[in-house]
């Protein structure tokens, strides 16, 4: 294979990511409903036909964005939760720290922000987000909490409801900040949120104060 052929192949392999980058930028700028596929194609520097070659619909573009940005994070979270056999507070800390670290990246924050802003008009986005993210992480976290109760690290709690207490404040914080423009004075302040949340959470579910 000559150098010209190698460069062409690398370029072809990069095109789906270039299309997704352009689609995310357009969805954030104009909204999902207002964005047209030919606008995504122009922004990506490709033909409309090439966009459809990789992504047969605008919904497929958004699904590709979610799968690329968030599904690997969810898969990694599930693996990490499964490996913790002792105190579940360690796994919860690792999980929420990882999520906050990713959300500190504007490119990754743009994805959940987009879904939050569009989900009321396009409920199928919630179905997709649940399938790719929540349906993976929620059962693993629920199992972790149940195991923590069984081995005495956590006081008797309802694991199914406790999952909402673990994840809910982060989702509420994003909604308040990105949808209602209610941010702390220092911006999104994810580090402060995480520290405060873990302090309240752990003293509420722990069997004994450390």
């Amino acid at each position: 294979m000559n150098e010209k052929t190698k460069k062409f192949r690398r370029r072809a392999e990069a095109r789906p990511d270039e299309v997704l980058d352009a689609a995310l930028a357009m969805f954030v700028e104009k909204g999902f409903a207002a964005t047209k596929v030919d606008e995504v194609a122009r922004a990506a520097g490709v033909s409309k036909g090439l966009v459809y070659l990789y992504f047969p619909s605008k919904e497929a573009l958004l699904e590709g964005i979610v799968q690329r940005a968030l599904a690997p994070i969810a898969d990694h979270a599930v693996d990490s939760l499964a490996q913790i056999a002792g105190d579940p507070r360690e796994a919860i800390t690792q999980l929420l720290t990882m999520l906050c670290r990713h959300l500190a990246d504007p490119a990754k924050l743009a994805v959940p922000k987009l879904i939050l802003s569009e989900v009321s008009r396009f409920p199928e986005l919630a179905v997709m987000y649940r399938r790719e993210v929540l349906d993976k992480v929620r059962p693993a976290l629920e199992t972790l909490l149940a195991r923590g109760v069984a081995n005495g690290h956590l006081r008797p709690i309802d694991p199914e409801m406790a999952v909402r207490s673990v994840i809910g404040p982060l989702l509420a914080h994003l909604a308040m900040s990105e949808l209602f423009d209610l941010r702390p004075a220092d911006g999104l302040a994810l580090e402060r949120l995480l520290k405060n949340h873990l302090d309240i959470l752990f003293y509420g579910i722990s069997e004994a104060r450390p």
Side-chain angles (χ1 to χ4, degrees), residues 167-182:
I167 300 177
L170 182 57
L171 297 177
H173 179 66
L174 290 179
M176 291 180 68
S177 297
E178 304 305 321
L179 295 184
F180 302 108
D181 200 27
L182 292 173

Side-chain angles (χ1 to χ4, degrees), residues 8-20:
F8 178 80
R9 177 170 291 182
R10 286 196 297 269
R11 173 63 176 165
E13 291 172 349
R15 277 177 174 162
D17 279 329
E18 293 172 354
V19 171
L20 291 178

Side-chain angles (χ1 to χ4, degrees), residues 53-115:
L53 177 65
Y54 294 117
F55 305 99
S57 66
K58 192 166 66 170
E59 289 73 19
L61 279 168
L62 186 57
E63 185 167 356
I65 290 169
V66 172
Q67 289 176 335
R68 182 183 65 166
L70 300 181
I73 299 173
D75 291 337
H76 177 70
V78 171
D79 290 342
S80 298
L81 292 174
Q83 292 174 14
I84 301 295
D87 192 337
R89 289 172 294 188
E90 176 185 349
I92 292 171
T93 300
Q94 291 176 0
L95 172 64
L96 295 180
T97 299
M98 180 188 68
L99 292 177
C100 287
R101 184 174 67 249
H102 282 286
L103 291 173
D105 179 349
K108 290 185 173 64
L109 174 62
V111 180
K113 178 180 176 181
L114 174 65
I115 292 173

Side-chain angles (χ1 to χ4, degrees), residues 67-210:
Q67 289 176 335
R68 182 183 65 166
L70 300 181
I73 299 173
D75 291 337
H76 177 70
V78 171
D79 290 342
S80 298
L81 292 174
Q83 292 174 14
I84 301 295
D87 192 337
R89 289 172 294 188
E90 176 185 349
I92 292 171
T93 300
Q94 291 176 0
L95 172 64
L96 295 180
T97 299
M98 180 188 68
L99 292 177
C100 287
R101 184 174 67 249
H102 282 286
L103 291 173
D105 179 349
K108 290 185 173 64
L109 174 62
V111 180
K113 178 180 176 181
L114 174 65
I115 292 173
L116 284 171
S117 64
E118 298 286 351
V119 71
S120 61
R121 287 180 292 177
F122 300 96
E124 63 271 19
L125 300 184
V127 174
M128 178 186 61
Y129 188 80
R130 172 178 172 168
R131 182 182 68 246
E132 296 296 336
V133 179
L134 296 179
D135 281 350
K136 295 178 180 179
V137 176
R138 181 184 52 79
L141 185 54
E142 186 175 327
T143 298
L144 177 81
L145 292 170
R147 192 163 62 239
V149 172
N151 62 26
H153 286 291
L154 306 180
R155 67 180 179 81
I157 56 173
D158 182 338
E160 183 179 13
M161 292 296 105
V163 166
R164 289 159 168 78
S165 299
V166 173
I167 300 177
L170 182 57
L171 297 177
H173 179 66
L174 290 179
M176 291 180 68
S177 297
E178 304 305 321
L179 295 184
F180 302 108
D181 200 27
L182 292 173
R183 297 183 183 86
D186 51 341
L188 198 54
L190 288 169
E191 289 187 9
R192 281 208 298 134
L193 173 75
L194 179 61
K195 181 179 179 181
N196 187 71
H197 173 42
L198 290 178
D199 182 66
I200 295 173
L201 175 69
F202 288 164
Y203 291 156
I205 68 174
S206 300
E207 180 64 32
R209 188 183 181 102

